[in-house]
Amino acid sequence: MTNMDHEFHHNDFEFAHAAGERLIDQNYSATSYWKDVWSNFKKNKGSLIGSVIIAIIIIMAIIGPSMNDYTYKQIHGGQECLVPRIPVIEKLGIYDGYHNGVNQYAEKGVPDTYYWFGTDTQGRDIWTRVWSGTRVSLIIALAAVVIDIVIGMVYGLVSGFFGGMIDSIMQRFAEILNGIPTLVIVTLLGMVLPAGITSIIFALMLTGWIGMERIARAQVLKVKEQEFVLASRTLGAGKFRIIFNEILPNILGQVIVTSMFSIPNAIFLEAYLSFLGLGVPAPMASLGSLVSDGYKSMTTFPHILIIPVLVMAVLMLCFNLFADGLRDAFDPKMINK
């Protein structure tokens, strides 16, 4: 017997199924695209935790300022720089109103008063000011998303689809706007508009959408020559119908992800401008202005700085985690199996 010859026996092979077993095809129900997105999103635990924390912060921004009897601009004379004091928890020896071994509340004659986050250098309640400031930051974040979708997405769709001279002119215009520093725009707007949320939103309307425009244009250039777009053209569909009915649904995932990533940038922009004194005017509070105020007394009363910094850091981190989860959900190839 040569090396190429093989000798088989009757027990060398066996059936995959038992004799007489009935084999029935299994049917799997089809799932929609959005169900797949949700299924992939749930696999990212960090994104789920981030989305829960974002929901909690949004709820606190809505109801937090009304949870006590103080307002964000109410000044309490003689109660400046009080450290946090929280009922029940003070019995554990923390958040009990003591600073350097001295009960500040008893010393200033308000032993029955509680400030959950303490007071600032002017005697204003930090709890109310922090959640009022968070509300301002979330309003600006929402405005950034709307501006990205309404201006940036539409601008990129039109520029990428028509191409040629139209695309060239639109891109040069966007590059000119992008070359103007945001700080200069906000400063100039502050001369003609009331300082605060209005000027920041107008600054976002001028330059904040350019990142989205570039993403949308790149996606259109990739999609517009595919077969389903050519089929729509052959069937006589109009240009804007093709843009919004054929191309947009196929790039919507990337658009949503990009808009979510713009939220932390908008929050940081507001904080940066408020820190420089170009944000919301006093006595209105924002996270940036609270950080600016707390920075001045960082060494003596660190709680005035630490609390708004923590809220802002957690908010930005959670939005980044949420956006990262959306990116993975819309692009299943990035899911770690």
Side-chain angles (χ1 to χ4, degrees):
M1 183 170 53
T2 64
N3 293 333
M4 298 299 293
D5 295 330
H6 298 280
E7 183 177 356
F8 298 103
H9 302 281
H10 68 279
N11 58 350
D12 286 343
F13 301 94
E14 60 182 14
F15 290 104
H17 303 278
E21 180 181 355
R22 296 182 62 187
L23 302 180
I24 302 174
D25 292 336
Q26 296 183 359
N27 296 323
Y28 296 93
S29 59
T31 58
S32 66
Y33 173 71
W34 293 105
K35 285 185 178 180
D36 286 337
V37 169
W38 172 240
S39 176
N40 291 332
F41 181 79
K42 290 190 296 183
K43 296 178 183 178
N44 193 322
K45 303 303 181 184
S47 297
L48 287 177
I49 294 173
S51 59
V52 171
I53 296 176
I54 289 171
I56 293 173
I57 292 177
I58 291 174
I59 293 172
M60 291 305 301
I62 295 172
I63 68 174
S66 59
M67 291 179 66
N68 55 32
D69 298 329
Y70 311 119
T71 64
Y72 71 89
K73 60 182 178 180
Q74 186 177 359
I75 297 176
H76 304 89
Q79 301 179 26
E80 296 84 2
C81 299
L82 292 175
V83 296
R85 185 187 183 195
I86 303 175
V88 180
I89 297 180
E90 64 178 344
K91 296 179 181 179
L92 302 176
I94 57 175
Y95 302 113
D96 53 4
Y98 280 82
H99 181 65
N100 294 330
V102 178
N103 188 330
Q104 288 186 303
Y105 291 79
E107 184 182 36
K108 296 190 176 184
V110 286
D112 298 327
T113 303
Y114 291 90
Y115 291 104
W116 300 333
F117 283 172
T119 59
D120 62 8
T121 55
Q122 298 185 41
R124 296 174 295 193
D125 178 46
I126 295 179
W127 170 275
T128 306
R129 290 180 62 78
V130 163
W131 297 122
S132 297
T134 304
R135 186 183 297 176
V136 171
S137 297
L138 290 173
I139 290 172
I140 292 175
L142 177 62
V145 172
V146 173
I147 290 168
D148 267 357
I149 293 177
V150 173
I151 300 178
M153 183 190 71
V154 174
Y155 194 97
L157 284 171
V158 173
S159 177
F161 181 80
F162 287 97
M165 183 61 68
I166 294 177
D167 180 46
S168 180
I169 294 173
M170 295 178 72
Q171 291 307 304
R172 300 298 82 75
F173 177 72
E175 290 173 2
I176 292 172
L177 289 180
N178 194 41
I180 305 174
T182 304
L183 187 60
V184 174
I185 294 175
V186 174
T187 304
L188 293 176
L189 288 174
M191 299 173 61
V192 296
L193 294 174
I197 298 178
T198 304
S199 59
I200 295 175
I201 291 177
F202 266 91
L204 291 173
M205 290 178 64
L206 289 176
T207 60
W209 49 269
I210 293 178
M212 170 64 79
E213 178 271 329
R214 290 174 175 172
I215 296 295
R217 175 178 176 269
Q219 294 297 313
V220 172
L221 292 176
K222 183 172 67 175
V223 171
K224 72 175 185 178
E225 299 299 334
Q226 293 187 7
E227 289 80 1
F228 65 92
V229 176
L230 296 176
S232 295
R233 286 177 174 170
T234 303
L235 294 173
K239 293 181 179 180
F240 285 97
R241 181 179 177 84
I242 294 175
I243 291 175
F244 292 103
N245 286 11
E246 303 294 340
I247 296 179
L248 179 58
N250 287 277
I251 68 171
L252 189 60
Q254 188 65 38
V255 167
I256 293 174
V257 171
T258 304
S259 64
M260 290 298 104
F261 274 114
S262 69
I263 291 178
N265 295 332
I267 294 173
F268 180 78
L269 173 64
E270 181 278 323
Y272 169 70
L273 294 174
S274 296
F275 187 83
L276 295 178
L278 298 173
V280 296
M284 186 182 292
S286 74
L287 292 178
S289 63
L290 292 174
V291 171
S292 179
D293 293 341
Y295 176 78
K296 302 170 186 176
S297 55
M298 177 177 59
T299 56
T300 54
F301 297 99
H303 71 280
I304 302 177
L305 172 66
I306 291 174
I307 292 172
V309 165
L310 285 177
V311 173
M312 182 171 64
V314 169
L315 186 61
M316 294 177 64
L317 174 63
C318 290
F319 269 117
N320 275 313
L321 289 174
F322 180 70
D324 185 67
L326 284 181
R327 181 189 61 191
D328 291 348
F330 282 107
D331 187 4
K333 295 190 294 296
M334 300 182 67
I335 297 291
N336 294 322
K337 300 296 184 182

